[in-house]
Amino acid sequence: MKEKFLNMMGLCRRAGKLVWGYDSCVTAVKDGTAKGLIAASDISPKTLKNLKFEGDRAKLETVTVSVETIELSYAVGKRAGVYAVLDEGFFKKLKELAEHQGKDAE
């Protein structure tokens, strides 16, 4: 499932429906274009807390995936640990793949 998730992240970026980096994600949340937030497993607790805070204010879900920053960066082509998905369909599928990935790891 991890590979499917990473492939979907790459597809999302190629479709132009992905923003990366904390500041860009917060901007997407504030201007209403973000549909959901994705965080790598190895980002700092403070960054995750701040990202969730911004997402909660805008009533957006933040999904922490069991994938490290380096793997996400390789799949997307840009080095970042946090991403904002700009399309509801993409976010729904990424969330579903992330949840299945967590179940496969158990």
Side-chain angles (χ1 to χ4, degrees), residues 18-63:
L18 193 67
V19 175
W20 51 88
Y22 179 80
D23 292 336
S24 298
C25 289
V26 170
T27 300
V29 167
K30 288 182 178 178
D31 68 17
T33 57
K35 305 302 179 197
L37 301 166
I38 295 179
S41 62
D42 60 345
I43 65 170
S44 76
K46 181 179 178 185
T47 301
L48 181 60
K49 177 184 167 194
N50 291 340
L51 188 69
K52 283 185 176 185
F53 174 77
E54 293 294 342
D56 290 347
R57 281 181 26 179
K59 295 182 175 47
L60 293 177
E61 189 170 356
T62 303
V63 177

